[in-house]
Amino acid sequence: MTASSRGPGRTERLVLAGVLTAEQAAGTVAGIAAVQRPDGAIPWFRGHHLDPWDHVEAAMALDAAGEHARAEAAYRWLADHQNPDGSWYAAYADGDADEPTDLSRETNFVAYVAVGVWHHYLSTGDDAFLDRMWPTVYAAVEFVLALQQPGGQIGWKRESPEDGGGDVADALLTGSSSIHQALRCALAIAEHREEPQPDWELAVGLLGHAIRHHPERFLDKSRYSMDWYYPVLGGALTGPAAKERIEEHWDDFVVPGLGVRCVLPNPWVTGGESCELALALWVMGESDRAVEILQWIQHLRAENGMYWTGYVFEDKAVWPEELTTWTAGSLLLAVAALGGDEATTAVFGGERLPAGLEPECPCGGSGQGPSACRR
């Protein structure tokens, strides 16, 4: 797992005018690699925790940079440390599998392995890898779907044993939107293996319908920018509906020249949210605006090639003083999509991902129908 393993021509897709030069891209990739533990774990930064979602995000960025051995090691870590019920814990101290610090199991954290595994396969064409990871993906999806509610939304988490170990039925729009993308990638894996999963097709169709038409089925987190753009990024909202959603709250969340607010009304822009919005804009076909967002956040770039989590613009201060692998990873993935990296465009563009089966719903697709649709 060395930097020299990066394949020829791969870093060319991580060069973007005003965002990354080839040298800068290499520095960011090296920064993520430096945080990765020998066992493959990728914590936020050394000494902080690992969560499974951000671990996968960083692994995907390594694949986009051609660091396939490092990415595979990250997925091997997940396979080796999956819980018997198909989940992973929400946090592990410094990526140490023997030291979980949050024993709850969050559904969107668990589901994201499917996105990463499909992305790695598309990056490498390694069928043996896909065969090895299939049991891991299958178990993860089954855990997640056990928390799907009758209305399609996915319950947030299974509590830690000390909190009773029960399932939390309340659903998060951001989390469910991420799961929507993950389930479609899981279906793509199943189709490639010629192992149809009709229950998954029904589940993703029902989930997509809930995201598009039934906001009442999710907790109100509309102050958070992720709830604004994630239905687009996760592929549930497309076309005019996606455009309308983004335009509706653009002025609320976007701070010209600086980036995207994390939460209203706080004067705090964050790198991760900015890069994810750029990805959502690319998905919508608005590459120029996506590039502009990425150019704005270069004020978050540190000398070592990593990126600060955020910036409080009223105080003109970096906060928190953390250089996180997932912030750097989200930047690299956004650049990779804009550069046409085939694996990255496939998992985020979604044109070739299975869409699931749309349910029959009394709302007629409007979300305003009879109460029978609001189970």
Side-chain angles (χ1 to χ4, degrees), residues 2-291:
T2 65
S4 63
S5 67
R6 191 160 50 249
R10 297 288 294 180
T11 52
E12 291 178 4
R13 291 179 177 173
L14 296 179
V15 174
L16 185 61
V19 179
L20 285 179
T21 65
E23 183 179 4
Q24 288 172 330
T28 302
V29 174
I32 297 174
V35 175
Q36 188 174 29
R37 290 163 48 107
D39 64 359
I42 310 175
W44 286 20
F45 51 88
R46 292 311 302 267
H48 199 58
H49 74 256
L50 172 152
D51 74 71
W53 197 100
D54 289 311
H55 168 84
V56 169
E57 185 86 340
M60 290 170 65
L62 290 172
D63 260 330
E67 293 283 356
H68 302 313
R70 286 190 173 277
E72 183 172 352
Y75 297 121
R76 187 167 58 247
W77 186 92
L78 290 171
D80 289 346
H81 303 297
Q82 190 172 32
N83 292 322
D85 64 2
S87 71
W88 292 273
Y89 296 123
Y92 299 83
D94 197 34
D96 187 342
D98 294 327
E99 291 192 38
T101 55
D102 183 345
L103 296 180
S104 64
R105 288 150 286 175
E106 299 192 17
T107 48
N108 69 302
F109 284 9
V110 175
Y112 207 50
V113 65
V115 181
V117 166
W118 188 234
H119 182 262
H120 182 78
Y121 171 73
L122 294 175
S123 297
T124 63
D126 187 348
D127 280 298
F129 166 82
L130 209 59
D131 290 342
R132 290 193 301 272
M133 291 300 299
W134 171 244
T136 300
V137 171
Y138 183 89
V141 170
E142 290 294 296
F143 171 85
V144 170
L145 293 185
L147 277 78
Q148 186 168 35
Q149 305 305 303
Q153 71 274 27
I154 308 291
W156 176 16
K157 64 180 178 179
R158 183 165 290 163
E159 293 180 326
S160 66
E162 62 187 27
D163 291 328
D167 293 346
V168 176
D170 290 337
L172 301 174
L173 181 58
T174 294
S176 285
S177 297
S178 177
I179 292 168
H180 181 266
Q181 179 194 19
L183 292 178
R184 295 179 71 197
C185 288
L187 278 171
I189 296 170
E191 286 189 3
H192 180 78
R193 293 177 52 80
E194 298 183 348
E195 295 193 30
Q197 302 295 326
D199 289 346
W200 296 5
E201 293 185 58
L202 292 169
V204 73
L206 192 59
L207 175 58
H209 179 85
I211 294 168
R212 286 187 289 274
H213 303 299
H214 293 283
E216 77 280 358
R217 294 178 181 171
F218 301 92
L219 295 175
D220 182 5
K221 300 289 184 180
S222 56
R223 292 174 56 232
Y224 292 85
S225 60
M226 287 194 295
D227 260 32
W228 165 49
Y229 62 74
Y230 243 94
V232 178
L233 183 58
L237 278 184
T238 59
K243 174 74 170 177
E244 180 181 353
R245 185 177 184 89
I246 294 302
E247 295 303 332
E248 182 179 7
H249 295 293
W250 181 271
D251 292 337
D252 297 329
F253 288 109
V254 175
V255 183
L258 291 178
V260 177
R261 293 178 191 256
C262 177
V263 58
L264 298 175
N266 298 1
W268 181 42
V269 295
T270 48
E273 278 79 357
S274 298
C275 294
E276 288 181 336
L277 176 61
L279 259 176
L281 290 167
W282 169 81
V283 169
M284 292 165 53
E286 299 197 14
S287 295
D288 289 346
R289 280 210 288 185
V291 172

Side-chain angles (χ1 to χ4, degrees), residues 9 52 297 329:
I297 64 165

